[in-house]
Amino acid sequence: MMVTEERLPGWRSACTRLFDAPIDIAALAAFRILFGTMMALGMARFLAKGWVRELYVAPAFHFTYPGFEWVRPLPDFWMHAHFAALVLLAVGIALGCFYRVCVVLFFLGFSYVELLDQANYLNHYYFISLISGLMILLPAHRAWSIDARRAPPLRASTVPAWTLNLLRFQVGVVYFFAGLAKVNADWLLHAQPLRLWLAARSDLPIVGPWLSEQWVACAASWCGAIFDLTIPFLLLHRRTRAPAYVAVIVFHISTWLLFNIGMFPWIMMVAALVMFPPDWPRALASRVAKHFGGTSISSSPTCTDVTPLPRWGIALLAAYAVVQLALPLRPYLMPQPPAWTGRGFNLAWQVMIVEKTGFVEFHAVDPESGQRHRLSAKEYLTPRQEMMMAQDPQLIRDFARHLSSEMKRRGQSAVQINVNAYASLNGRPSQPMINPAVDLAGPVSPDWIVPLVR
Amino acid sequence: VSSLLAAAFIVAVFLLDSPGAWAEGSPLLRVTREAVLRDTVGKVIAPASRELLAKSRDLTNALGGLGFSSSADALTKARQAWMATMLAARVVQGYEAGPLTDRDAAAAFSFSQILPGRITGVLNSTRPLTATHVEELGSPAKGLFALEYLLFGPRTTETGAAKAASPADMLASPQGSRLVAYLKLLAHDLEARAAHVAGDWSAADGAAKQFIAGGQESINTLVNQLAMHLEVAAENRLGFVLRLPEPIARQYQRVECSASGSSQQSVRALISGIERYYRGGDGAGLDDLVNQLNPALARRIEAQFAATLFAVDLLAAPLEDVVVKDRAALQDAYDKARALEILFKVDLASTLGVTITFSSNDGD
């Protein structure tokens, strides 16, 4: 690893190391290539599995985010074209071909997709949006890219340290807060939801029989929490880095095999590489070359000066960091568990800590006659949306309002929407989730969500 | 290199062995999903489909007796055979997937409101009654519930007289031979469908093998089916009668099995059939899996099945009569069945890692 800054005293030295020290661009360029490749595969997988139609085109109703109700899905053909364009943009990012244009458009295009429906929220989609947003700022195309080949003045062998540290911060936040979210009684004392999830895989060969054992779930829970809480620090430390990355591989491959969590393990295995020294790709290439009898094919670049980050740039990064630290702390300020109420659960790295199954039915009630009839959600929602909604009181309320407005549109104005909603959280017996007497179409009192029986 | 080796080892452990091979011999795993599926299909689904076939044959034979004699005794035997077939069909209905739907047999045994005018039209028509003719009839004029209408006649209203002639009168009338022919064709149609379903479940390389090989997918389907039919029992049978507008007597034709006066037996057979599927008969069932994963839930489900069946037994009369005479008892049975439905849709689904994929109102 290159260390170029002169020895400066106190905070200035620390700031220089964090922000302005020139570091090898190799890690950043490698991250660009791996991230772009991963995204291209991910978007192509989306198309191949037919999820574009299933998630965005088929539903007649979307659970839009507050303030983003104007974000609407495109027609079938154009939605598919949008994903095809995301594949091309991701390839552009990987190749470093018109990188800035590609990464800006990818960020906008991917975030647009994510804003379409809250029922599709996944932590790793949020992570991708954040990373692609950050990459707009990063000069990751100044080496090992078509852009650099085409425009020699663009080429650089070093970048300021903040570029890599920003990614390290983001990856560290994900792991650390995912670990912090596991510090609770369900996870550590009752080994839930791992007990349920592991036991569900008890038919697997060799390891299967052990997975239904309680002590295995307990051990896995504790190991998982310790892993998430410590892995960013262990990866940053030279002496612990190698075993820590082995742990990353083992952990994420295991979760990939045991649970249906898509691209997340692979994305995190790639993302964890940012914790390595900036010259890791060159070091790896040298070792591979040596192994095959060659000589080192590339060496770390000599020190070059980089433009220091202006004060407003530091302020911007600090503001971003504050937001990223504050958002995952929201759940700890809530009186009821966010997993139960749906408030403060998203954007907080509450990763894989909840097994929640819900059931909901909607009733239109005439307040004058007391007559009630059951409403079908099937007309508006796909089975997947219905399943996601049944777990989340906020989505249930959104849909109740939609049903109410639909009924008003059909001339049935004075109708209340009541629900029978039950849910089970982390193996607890099912219980009512929403007060069945509350009209969800109108203003609700603060106690409309029934508190979780602990 | 160490990372790659670790990854390769984990992948190899998971992928290189045949599923279940180690699990079978392990003392740690008491019941496997494979065992549950094997026993559920071998001890409940396949026997239930064979039972339906046997009862359908009995029905065909009993209707054969009507051809020689239109005595009250022959009619009684035919009615008893119909009841037995209906009860067997309610058990089969608990798992309405696989051959039952693949063979398009579900509708023939499920309740749908028949249209008396359509049936009278068939009886009064001069067109020869053939299997092709029956095949062309829509569900309001064929299937198990057209047979019920023809054998039992429409239920009389509370005020007295039947609006149509009784089956006994019909059999004695000049139309009697055409009625018998119609009944036989309908019964043959049912028997043929039941034979297809039973054959598919019993074939060596058939549906049973697919069901067992389906693993978690089959568990998902099974739990979804049982949950859906608990909803049918609670909402479309017990709850439906509770919600009928007054006067109830005008709504009889909307109640399943009202013509035969067996609506209470029907819903009981459906729920007890679902319990049989849940238990895997006398073998390994979902109950054993649940007991392994969440013993408290297993006890709650068992208690709720018992409470629900007890409440339904207490009704001891057709639902459409109970709703008038003892509405509280019917409400209690509904509440118990509803609680059982929630246990399946939420707690059981959560414990077994099952996604409930059917939407409410998917049931019949």
Side-chain angles (χ1 to χ4, degrees):
Chain A
M1 180 177 175
M2 232 174 20
V3 178
T4 60
E5 81 262 34
E6 293 167 17
R7 295 216 167 267
L8 294 170
W11 67 271
R12 283 191 63 196
S13 169
C15 277
T16 305
R17 267 204 314 278
L18 268 177
F19 294 106
D20 297 333
I23 57 166
D24 194 337
I25 195 173
L28 199 59
F31 180 75
R32 186 204 76 228
I33 294 166
L34 290 171
F35 179 77
T37 307
M38 194 76 70
M39 289 305 99
L41 291 173
M43 297 303 106
R45 180 169 168 264
F46 232 90
L47 282 166
K49 290 200 174 244
W51 291 342
V52 178
R53 184 165 293 120
E54 184 188 330
L55 299 183
Y56 305 110
V57 179
F61 172 79
H62 289 278
F63 295 95
T64 51
Y65 285 87
F68 291 93
E69 292 82 3
W70 50 273
V71 181
R72 309 299 306 163
L74 299 165
D76 192 357
F77 172 80
W78 291 109
M79 206 67 218
H80 282 84
H82 181 83
F83 270 83
L86 286 177
V87 174
L88 293 177
L89 292 168
V91 170
I93 293 170
L95 295 175
C97 179
F98 299 108
Y99 168 77
R100 294 279 190 202
V101 175
C102 286
V103 80
V104 168
L105 291 179
F106 183 86
F107 166 70
L108 293 174
F110 190 84
S111 300
Y112 156 73
V113 169
E114 290 321 296
L115 287 171
L116 285 173
D117 200 325
Q118 291 185 66
N120 297 331
Y121 173 86
L122 284 178
N123 280 301
H124 74 272
Y125 291 164
Y126 171 50
F127 180 66
I128 290 168
S129 278
L130 291 177
I131 290 289
S132 56
L134 293 179
M135 285 182 75
I136 294 171
L137 307 173
L138 307 182
H141 60 314
R142 299 185 73 173
W144 304 347
S145 71
I146 292 175
D147 287 348
R149 181 177 281 263
R150 261 199 325 237
L154 192 69
R155 289 179 201 168
S157 52
T158 58
V159 285
W162 68 264
T163 56
L164 194 59
N165 285 335
L166 187 58
L167 293 176
R168 285 172 173 171
F169 167 77
Q170 189 59 68
V171 173
V173 161
V174 174
Y175 276 120
F176 183 76
F177 281 106
L180 200 59
K182 292 178 174 72
V183 182
N184 62 62
D186 276 9
W187 186 271
L188 297 177
L189 301 184
H190 306 293
Q192 292 287 21
L194 274 188
R195 252 175 90 185
L196 290 171
W197 292 344
L198 291 177
R201 306 306 314 274
S202 58
D203 282 355
L204 282 172
I206 303 176
V207 294
W210 300 92
L211 298 181
S212 60
E213 292 296 303
Q214 189 173 347
W215 69 266
V216 173
C218 285
S221 294
W222 278 84
C223 289
I226 292 168
F227 171 86
D228 279 344
L229 284 167
T230 58
I231 204 69
F233 308 106
L234 297 176
L235 282 170
L236 284 171
H237 219 273
R238 188 176 61 82
R239 287 192 177 180
T240 52
R241 185 173 297 128
Y245 197 68
V246 172
V248 167
I249 301 274
V250 170
F251 178 83
H252 287 302
I253 296 266
S254 302
T255 56
W256 176 67
L257 288 166
L258 284 170
F259 313 119
N260 182 22
I261 49 176
M263 299 286 287
F264 181 70
W266 305 100
I267 290 168
M268 291 315 290
M269 279 189 276
V270 164
L273 291 170
V274 301
M275 300 296 192
F276 278 55
D279 64 346
W280 74 263
R282 290 186 213 278
L284 181 68
S286 294
R287 285 178 73 172
V288 170
K290 260 187 206 165
H291 183 75
F292 289 103
T295 53
S296 179
I297 55 171
S298 59
S299 58
S300 294
T302 51
C303 304
T304 52
D305 287 335
V306 293
T307 315
L309 192 63
R311 285 195 174 182
W312 63 264
I314 295 174
L316 193 68
L317 294 188
Y320 178 80
V322 168
V323 170
Q324 284 305 312
L325 294 172
L327 282 175
L329 290 172
R330 277 146 55 233
Y332 303 97
L333 306 173
M334 306 281 178
Q336 279 285 309
W340 181 249
T341 62
R343 286 195 194 112
F345 190 75
N346 290 354
L347 318 183
W349 310 118
Q350 305 272 309
V351 183
M352 293 196 72
I353 56 164
V354 167
E355 168 57 40
K356 193 175 182 188
T357 307
F359 162 69
V360 61
E361 52 187 36
F362 294 82
H363 295 273
V365 182
D366 184 333
E368 283 181 13
S369 67
Q371 275 194 328
R372 53 192 282 138
H373 69 272
R374 195 161 154 187
L375 302 168
S376 171
K378 212 164 122 182
E379 191 183 333
Y380 305 98
L381 304 178
T382 61
R384 188 183 174 282
Q385 281 181 307
E386 206 174 345
M387 179 189 78
M388 298 306 290
M389 174 189 68
Q391 304 168 10
D392 188 334
Q394 312 297 334
L395 299 188
I396 290 172
R397 193 174 170 212
D398 285 352
F399 188 65
R401 285 170 170 166
H402 175 71
L403 284 175
S404 170
S405 64
E406 282 292 292
M407 295 188 82
K408 278 179 188 151
R409 198 171 55 82
R410 291 173 191 173
Q412 298 167 276
S413 53
V415 168
Q416 294 182 351
I417 305 290
N418 294 159
V419 299
N420 285 327
Y422 298 83
S424 161
L425 180 70
N426 288 343
R428 289 176 181 80
S430 57
Q431 65 161 91
M433 188 162 57
I434 294 174
N435 182 344
V438 170
D439 172 21
L440 289 187
V444 291
S445 59
D447 60 350
W448 66 282
I449 299 175
V450 178
L452 176 68
V453 177
R454 290 166 196 268
Chain B
V1 171
S2 53
S3 302
L4 288 174
L5 280 175
F9 172 74
I10 297 168
V11 173
V13 161
F14 278 87
L15 301 181
L16 291 184
D17 200 52
S18 59
W22 288 67
E24 284 301 305
S26 167
L28 291 171
L29 198 64
R30 294 169 291 273
V31 181
T32 63
R33 279 168 162 67
E34 192 185 341
V36 168
L37 293 172
R38 199 185 317 111
D39 283 359
T40 303
V41 74
K43 297 190 175 189
V44 189
I45 298 178
S49 67
R50 288 195 292 270
E51 174 80 355
L52 178 61
L53 174 59
K55 297 301 177 194
S56 302
R57 277 199 184 125
D58 290 349
L59 176 60
T60 310
N61 293 336
L63 291 171
L66 279 180
F68 301 106
S69 157
S70 55
S71 70
D73 184 45
L75 184 60
T76 302
K77 279 183 181 164
R79 285 173 171 174
Q80 285 167 348
W82 182 90
M83 283 284 286
T85 308
M86 183 276 290
L87 293 174
R90 292 291 72 80
V91 176
V92 167
Q93 191 187 5
Y95 186 75
E96 209 172 67
L100 198 62
T101 47
D102 297 346
R103 292 285 194 172
D104 217 11
F109 293 99
S110 298
F111 175 67
S112 61
Q113 208 174 315
I114 55 102
L115 293 177
R118 193 80 66 84
I119 289 175
T120 310
V122 175
L123 289 173
N124 293 338
S125 166
T126 52
R127 184 181 167 184
L129 266 172
T130 61
T132 315
H133 189 183
V134 168
E135 187 67 32
E136 290 167 3
L137 294 173
S139 58
K142 69 174 181 180
L144 193 62
F145 289 90
L147 271 165
E148 183 197 29
Y149 178 83
L150 289 167
L151 284 172
F152 294 88
R155 182 167 174 187
T156 54
T157 63
E158 281 174 337
T159 52
K163 286 179 181 172
S166 74
D169 294 342
M170 286 276 290
L171 285 167
S173 74
Q175 274 184 323
S177 59
R178 191 170 172 87
L179 170 61
V180 170
Y182 189 17
L183 283 165
K184 284 179 182 173
L185 282 169
L186 291 177
H188 272 299
D189 182 56
L190 283 185
E191 187 187 330
R193 290 175 194 276
H196 285 313
V197 173
D200 286 356
W201 279 119
S202 302
D205 262 353
K209 196 176 173 185
Q210 278 179 26
F211 182 78
I212 297 165
Q216 181 66 30
E217 191 82 8
S218 294
I219 296 276
N220 287 351
T221 310
L222 180 61
V223 173
N224 269 282
Q225 282 294 317
L226 301 188
M228 181 170 89
H229 287 100
L230 280 173
E231 180 180 314
V232 168
E235 293 297 335
N236 301 11
R237 301 291 177 264
L238 300 165
F240 177 75
V241 176
L242 278 169
R243 290 189 296 270
L244 280 176
E246 297 282 352
I248 301 294
R250 287 200 187 157
Q251 316 289 331
Y252 285 153
Q253 76 282 3
R254 296 173 64 195
V255 179
E256 185 198 46
C257 295
S258 65
S260 56
S262 58
S263 53
Q264 182 259 354
Q265 288 132 293
S266 168
V267 74
R268 197 202 187 280
L270 178 59
I271 296 170
S272 65
I274 291 168
E275 188 182 22
R276 268 170 68 186
Y277 288 104
Y278 172 68
R279 289 183 183 282
D282 57 0
L286 292 173
D287 61 332
D288 297 299
L289 269 186
V290 177
N291 195 40
Q292 207 163 267
L293 301 168
N294 189 344
L297 175 62
R299 286 193 295 275
R300 285 174 64 207
I301 293 178
E302 192 176 340
Q304 199 59 43
F305 263 121
T308 307
L309 287 170
F310 183 69
V312 173
D313 284 341
L314 281 182
L315 302 178
L319 305 180
E320 59 277 19
D321 293 342
V322 177
V323 74
V324 177
K325 293 172 187 161
D326 191 358
R327 191 179 176 86
L330 186 58
Q331 181 70 49
D332 183 54
Y334 166 76
D335 291 342
K336 299 262 175 16
R338 175 93 168 127
L340 187 57
E341 178 198 341
I342 305 290
L343 275 179
F344 264 67
K345 285 182 176 176
V346 182
D347 304 64
L348 180 69
S350 173
T351 297
L352 296 182
V354 167
T355 302
I356 297 291
T357 49
F358 77 90
S359 303
S360 289
N361 303 333
D362 270 359
D364 66 2

